[in-house]
Amino acid sequence: MGVRKSEMLMLYLALNLLACTVLLFHAFISSESGSGRIREERAFVRSLGLTDICLFTEASYTRNPAVADRHTSFQDSPMCFDHFPSGALVALPPHLNRHALD
Amino acid sequence: MPWIEKQRYIIDFALSSLMRRWKKNIALVAVYTLVVFVLASVVFFTGAIRKEAKAVLEACPDIIVQRTLAGRQDLIPSGYRDTLGRITGVSAVRGRLWAYYFDPSVGANYTIVVTDRPLPKQGVVSIGQGVSRAIHAGRGDTISLKGHDGSYLSFEVGALFPGSCEFVSADLIEMSEKDFRDLFGIPEDRYTDMALSVRNARERVVVSDKIRRVLPDTRPVIKEEILRTYDAVFSWRSGLLLVIFTGAILAFLIFSWDKATGLSIQERREIGILKAVGWETVDIISLRSWEGVIISLSSFLAGILLAYVHVFFASSTIFEPVLKGWAVIYPEFSLTPVIDPYHISALFFLTVIPYTVATIIPSWLAATLDPDSVMRL
């Protein structure tokens, strides 16, 4: 007796779910091993007194959004609200929205 | 159980029906998987990077005090350190010296910092892995930086920051205070900003208010604001990520709408024949639901799996050109996987449910018609 199509489908979905479970397990294991790296990074941040992560290095206001000037992104040229591509990715930090700070 | 056996026969029939139109259905699954893959990649990436940024920046200074002059950030006088130190609750004040440096030879921006850590001697710097890759410099090499007066200053690379810290150090150059002041021409009594330590974490807001009152030309940024910045920056509701998200959702809506607005003549005729040979309306709805579930669930699971592999095994390769922009220095880092059940459920309800519902409605409409008139179409 041949394998029914419904059985093939169930097998396929079961394999997918198994793969998802393996990934969940991987996420759990990696968070354990990743915590060592994060501790190292945290110690580095503390020793250098850093305020930002180094992801967007093309513009000052995306390199250090936490300590960015509110007006920086409008200074590059007239009619150019945002000069750098990463400016479109990085939202305005919430504390720069509050007028009370300036 | 008869109900389960009946459903198995319907699934067999649904699979045969899907295989009859295999080219169309393969294309459908490919597009569907791609949409889920993009959405899930954005969700995984932003979730992981927010968690990582929050964990790493927990160690940032309690309060950063910047000076603003004529609406712009300016160097802060060293005299402010005493004033800030006298504020109740402040345990330590440190003047920070840091700056941006654009290297025209490679078109890269560096962040130059001065720290309290001891460097072997003057003229020796530590550099990040990203800087090392950009200028092909390693330990013992000499790098030249153009000073404020146009003259070039040479520095020996004493050490490279560890690769495990690239997420925060790729573009950094660490040098001594004297070298920094010589390079940028910053007077002895000026700092870029001040970093404050506050004894009680709950007093940061109060201390921040006091700073604004005592030194009205300054702007304090507290640790919570720094951490919130990264929550906002990588929120999937903001920036270009929202554009990607909206684009994918719109593509999916068009895709579902196309499915919902009608069946092909062949599909209608098939429904008519099934009715004519004795299938009930509920059986036809069941058949179409299974078709929808098979396509959407397979695509959803494949999309999620591919997205996980893309973000956590392949370092988000597809996003890299977008994130990199025009930057020359981009960190090589791997994110710690984060799977948020809320986000996965949201993706499931945004993709699988609408598609399945969209396949049922036109079938139900066709199944309620007279089989003879449907077959004559």
Side-chain angles (χ1 to χ4, degrees):
Chain A
M1 196 176 152
V3 182
R4 283 173 62 174
K5 289 191 180 85
S6 56
E7 287 167 350
M8 300 265 288
L9 175 76
M10 292 305 159
L11 183 69
Y12 170 73
L13 291 179
L15 284 174
N16 267 300
L17 286 173
L18 181 70
C20 287
T21 315
V22 169
L23 292 187
L24 269 174
F25 187 67
H26 173 261
F28 177 73
I29 296 289
S30 305
S31 64
E32 294 284 308
S33 60
S35 59
R37 180 174 50 82
I38 287 176
R39 265 199 302 276
E40 208 177 319
E41 284 177 325
R42 203 180 287 158
F44 188 84
V45 166
R46 186 172 290 117
S47 67
L48 269 77
L50 304 176
T51 55
D52 290 273
I53 59 169
C54 173
L55 192 59
F56 310 108
T57 60
E58 59 184 357
S60 59
Y61 52 91
T62 53
R63 170 64 180 89
N64 289 289
V67 289
D69 192 317
R70 178 186 281 174
H71 310 285
T72 313
S73 55
F74 298 96
Q75 288 176 358
D76 293 304
S77 66
M79 297 296 288
C80 178
F81 280 179
D82 214 325
H83 192 56
F84 293 100
S86 60
L89 276 168
V90 178
L92 188 71
H95 60 275
L96 289 186
N97 270 326
R98 298 204 337 248
H99 287 265
L101 286 177
D102 278 348
Chain B
M1 281 174 69
W3 185 84
I4 292 179
E5 201 48 38
K6 183 181 173 185
Q7 295 305 314
R8 284 185 66 187
Y9 279 114
I10 292 177
I11 293 171
D12 284 339
F13 191 88
L15 283 165
S16 302
S17 169
L18 290 172
M19 281 176 189
R20 274 198 298 279
R21 296 182 293 273
W22 67 272
K23 282 183 190 165
K24 185 189 161 193
N25 287 318
I26 291 271
L28 199 64
V29 168
V31 172
Y32 202 144
T33 305
L34 186 70
V35 171
V36 175
F37 166 76
V38 171
L39 292 175
S41 293
V42 169
V43 165
F44 284 148
F45 180 79
T46 53
I49 215 157
R50 260 185 313 173
K51 193 177 174 197
E52 189 114 353
K54 195 173 179 185
V56 168
L57 295 175
E58 271 296 324
C60 73
D62 288 330
I63 300 179
I64 295 290
V65 179
Q66 301 173 325
R67 186 189 183 209
T68 52
L69 182 70
R72 292 185 183 196
Q73 195 182 323
D74 197 43
L75 296 174
I76 192 162
S78 56
Y80 281 32
R81 193 163 43 188
D82 300 331
T83 314
L84 291 167
R86 280 197 295 271
I87 293 174
T88 316
V90 175
S91 57
V93 184
R94 186 173 76 83
R96 293 201 316 162
L97 282 170
W98 62 277
Y100 302 111
Y101 180 90
F102 177 68
D103 186 347
S105 63
V106 286
N109 286 310
Y110 310 140
T111 302
I112 302 185
V113 293
V114 173
T115 65
D116 297 334
R117 304 190 322 166
L119 284 163
K121 57 180 178 181
Q122 256 181 38
V124 174
V125 293
S126 299
I127 61 172
Q129 300 281 342
V131 178
S132 168
R133 279 194 300 273
I135 56 176
H136 307 287
R139 197 177 167 157
D141 290 341
T142 302
I143 59 171
S144 293
L145 302 176
K146 192 176 182 181
H148 68 101
D149 55 359
S151 61
Y152 281 88
L153 282 89
S154 293
F155 300 96
E156 184 195 329
V157 178
L160 264 69
F161 294 130
S164 55
C165 296
E166 219 172 306
F167 189 56
V168 285
S169 70
D171 71 336
L172 292 188
I173 297 180
E174 182 189 19
M175 61 174 61
S176 71
E177 182 174 341
K178 171 135 190 2
D179 287 336
F180 184 91
R181 291 191 188 279
D182 288 347
L183 183 67
F184 293 106
I186 293 180
E188 290 290 328
D189 63 341
R190 290 286 189 275
Y191 289 96
T192 310
D193 51 32
M194 301 267 178
L196 274 63
S197 299
V198 178
R199 272 186 215 98
N200 184 350
R202 283 178 293 185
E203 283 184 0
R204 283 182 200 134
V205 176
V206 179
V207 171
S208 160
D209 287 342
K210 278 185 195 166
I211 293 168
R212 258 186 244 120
R213 275 202 305 274
V214 176
L215 297 166
D217 62 340
T218 61
R219 190 180 67 164
V221 181
I222 63 172
K223 185 189 265 190
E224 284 76 11
E225 288 170 333
I226 293 172
L227 297 176
R228 268 204 303 273
T229 296
Y230 284 92
D231 244 359
V233 165
F234 295 109
S235 161
W236 58 271
R237 291 177 292 268
S238 66
L240 194 65
L241 297 177
L242 181 68
V243 176
I244 296 172
F245 216 77
T246 314
I249 290 282
L250 283 175
F252 185 74
L253 281 179
I254 293 166
F255 175 54
S256 300
W257 178 251
D258 180 55
K259 192 79 189 166
T261 47
L263 297 169
S264 67
I265 290 175
Q266 195 193 354
E267 285 169 318
R268 278 170 185 273
R269 192 170 291 143
E270 192 180 302
I271 288 173
I273 293 167
L274 289 175
K275 289 256 331 191
V277 296
W279 283 49
E280 298 288 334
T281 303
V282 69
D283 296 333
I284 289 165
I285 292 173
S286 199
L287 168 71
R288 300 297 292 182
S289 308
W290 277 117
E291 282 184 13
V293 167
I294 291 165
I295 289 191
S296 55
L297 199 58
S298 316
S299 311
F300 178 78
L301 290 172
I304 293 279
L305 291 173
L306 288 173
Y308 189 94
V309 171
H310 167 234
V311 174
F312 301 119
F313 288 101
S315 304
S316 314
T317 322
I318 297 172
F319 293 158
E320 193 181 311
V322 181
L323 294 170
K324 199 172 174 183
W326 298 342
V328 170
I329 296 176
Y330 183 75
E332 283 177 7
F333 62 97
S334 55
L335 292 166
T336 307
V338 176
I339 298 179
D340 188 340
Y342 165 72
H343 287 148
I344 300 290
S345 325
L347 271 179
F348 182 83
F349 284 104
L350 272 172
T351 54
V352 175
I353 304 295
Y355 181 81
T356 309
V357 172
T359 53
I360 296 171
I361 294 167
S363 309
W364 172 67
L365 291 173
T368 50
L369 295 174
D370 176 41
D372 181 54
S373 61
V374 175
M375 279 190 287
R376 281 177 196 283
L377 283 171

